[in-house]
Amino acid sequence: MERTGGEREDRDPPDETLDRPLPEKVRHRVVTLAGDAFGGLTVAELPAPLRQYARFTPQRRVKFGGNAMAAALAGDTVFRQRVAERLREMLPELATVVESGAPPAAADPVEVAAVAYVLRPPDWVKLVVAAGEEAQRAQEERAGEETRRELDRLRAELAELRAATRGDADRARAELDTVRRELEGAQRRLRGAQSDVKRGEAELRRTRAELDDVRAAAAADRSAADGELRRAKARLAETEAALEAGRRAAREGRSVEDMRVRLLLDTVLEAAQGLRRELALPPVEERPADTVDAVEPGRMTPRDIAARALSETDPALLDQLLALPQAHLVVDGYNVTKSGYPTMPLDKQRLRLLGGLAMLAAQTGAEMTCVFDGAELAVPVLLAPPRGVRVLFSKPGQTADELIRRLVRAEPSGRPVVVVSSDREVADGCAAAGARPVASVLLLNRLART
């Protein structure tokens, strides 16, 4: 075979060379044919760079050694002739017609060009170039066909898009008309509202003017009433002076003067009665003894009880405070529970405290309000307050201390209000508002005794 290859090497025209790279499809087919021909060659017959691919399958040879085989076919004549001999065995008919220089017209130009490149018959360069041009034309035709199909698809999409755009435009115009009508209606309503506001402002100005007139008239009436009252007081003072003079004369025993004084007294009394009817003076309910400062029975205040000699932790002190009429007990809930049973969960702490307050309310009859801090609660607490106990949580952004101070300020002055908290700030604020603060331990001791 080597001799035959040598003889065929003598027949290769030395001046025929390919002045351009192989077309990609022709090159790929040449490498595939060379990979298939490996099976009939020994390792010694292969060029050194290709021996590492001898044990590969044809597909792996093409994948990993394609460039090396293409270079060997282009530069190693002996290797190419050996591949050509294998090619004549694998494709005898095609190799014969290609070497004859008249390949059939129906043959694949890429296949013809690949075989001609390996066998190197006369005019093989023309066959390779023609195959490349034919492959290029086929590729261009396929590209043109794909371009036409893509153009048709784009035209169809454009038509659909235009139709959709027209529909969207119609809908947008309809929506725009609707929005315009709604806007016109809103503008009319706004103008009506502005007119109403102007009329309301004018009415407010008139009302304010009338109110100023009424206030002025009330001030004048008050001034006149004050003047009349002063005159009545003056007349009353004169009457009292005359009465006192009559009494002195009566004590002196002068009969004539007695008659004159009695007559004057009757005159004064009738004048006073007429003045009372004219002024519509109410009867006097206050007595001088009422102006004397003293402690009446049954009217002791929380401060009076605080002055007694009782310990601040003695439950009897709380009993005495709650025994006051209309007493109101306000409890700082968490301050008490965290002092008495801090290891329990918050819900258990609340239930235990409220249960004790319910029993205390039933025993004393006092009004009771328990306040818990709800500023950090994500959701409201589901809790059924026990009978006789009001349960309140502070709003978001507000502490329980602030809510307790608001409850104390809401009470009328003089009502006994007892605040249970060990917080010094809460105690001082409630004391300033008139409430009686007691420590949490006092309530805990009282509940423990229940």
Side-chain angles (χ1 to χ4, degrees), residues 60 84 116 128 187 194 232 264 286 392:
R60 296 189 67 204
V128 173
Q187 290 175 346
Q194 290 174 346
L264 178 61
E286 187 176 6
L392 299 177

Side-chain angles (χ1 to χ4, degrees), residues 28 46 61 71 121 123 127 141 212 217 244 307 354 407 444:
H28 184 269
L46 296 175
R61 291 188 200 121
D123 298 329
L127 292 175
E141 289 177 358
D212 292 338
E244 183 62 26
L354 294 177
L407 289 171
L444 291 171

Side-chain angles (χ1 to χ4, degrees), residues 29-308:
R29 183 57 182 161
V30 167
V31 171
T32 302
L33 293 174
D36 294 339
F38 261 48
L41 299 177
T42 63
V43 176
E45 292 175 337
L46 296 175
L50 300 182
R51 291 175 182 175
Q52 58 180 327
Y53 307 111
R55 296 184 180 276
F56 285 20
T57 61
Q59 291 80 8
R60 296 189 67 204
R61 291 188 200 121
V62 173
K63 180 177 180 181
F64 296 103
N67 293 333
M69 286 189 291
L73 289 173
D76 192 333
T77 304
V78 175
F79 174 67
R80 181 180 54 76
Q81 289 177 352
R82 290 172 178 165
V83 172
E85 290 298 331
R86 291 291 303 158
L87 189 58
R88 292 187 183 94
E89 295 177 1
M90 292 186 298
L91 303 172
E93 296 180 358
L94 183 58
T96 301
V97 296
V98 170
E99 287 183 329
S100 66
D108 185 0
V110 175
E111 189 77 12
V112 173
V115 173
Y117 180 80
V118 176
L119 299 181
R120 303 289 174 93
D123 298 329
W124 66 275
V125 175
K126 294 180 180 181
L127 292 175
V128 173
V129 172
E133 294 175 351
E134 182 65 23
Q136 184 66 26
R137 281 194 301 273
Q139 183 176 359
E140 290 176 354
E141 289 177 358
R142 286 193 297 272
E145 183 64 25
E146 292 178 357
T147 302
R148 283 192 297 274
R149 286 195 298 270
E150 183 67 18
L151 181 60
D152 293 340
R153 185 183 63 81
L154 293 176
R155 284 174 178 171
E157 291 181 358
L158 179 60
E160 294 177 359
L161 182 60
R162 284 176 176 172
T165 303
R166 284 194 296 271
D168 293 341
D170 294 339
R171 287 192 296 273
R173 281 193 293 272
E175 292 177 358
L176 180 59
D177 293 339
T178 302
V179 171
R180 284 176 177 171
R181 289 193 295 271
E182 292 177 354
L183 180 60
E184 292 173 356
Q187 290 175 346
R188 287 194 298 272
R189 291 191 294 274
L190 177 60
R191 287 192 293 269
Q194 290 174 346
S195 300
D196 294 340
V197 169
K198 291 179 180 178
R199 288 193 295 272
E201 291 176 348
E203 184 66 24
L204 179 60
R205 287 192 294 270
R206 288 193 298 271
T207 304
R208 286 178 176 173
E210 293 175 359
L211 181 59
D212 292 338
D213 295 340
V214 171
R215 286 176 177 172
D221 294 341
R222 187 183 302 110
S223 178
D226 291 341
E228 185 66 24
L229 181 60
R230 285 193 297 272
R231 288 191 295 272
K233 287 181 178 179
R235 288 195 298 269
L236 182 60
E238 294 175 357
T239 302
E240 290 177 349
L243 180 61
E244 183 62 26
R247 288 176 178 174
R248 283 196 303 269
R251 284 193 299 268
E252 292 175 356
R254 292 174 293 182
S255 60
V256 177
E257 291 298 328
D258 290 344
M259 179 184 63
R260 296 179 64 184
V261 170
R262 182 66 179 269
L263 180 61
L264 178 61
L265 178 60
D266 294 339
T267 303
V268 170
L269 289 176
E270 291 177 2
Q273 291 176 357
L275 182 61
R276 170 173 287 183
R277 288 194 300 269
E278 180 180 354
L279 297 180
L281 295 176
V284 177
E285 295 180 356
E286 187 176 6
R287 297 294 184 268
D290 295 334
T291 62
V292 178
D293 188 14
V295 177
E296 297 182 5
R299 294 188 179 182
M300 298 183 66
T301 66
R303 297 183 183 277
D304 298 328
I305 293 177
R308 294 188 173 185

Side-chain angles (χ1 to χ4, degrees), residues 346-366:
L346 288 181
D347 55 343
K348 302 296 184 181
Q349 293 181 17
R350 289 193 296 264
L351 293 176
R352 181 171 177 178
L353 175 60
L354 294 177
L357 291 177
M359 290 190 293
L360 185 60
Q363 294 172 359
T364 62

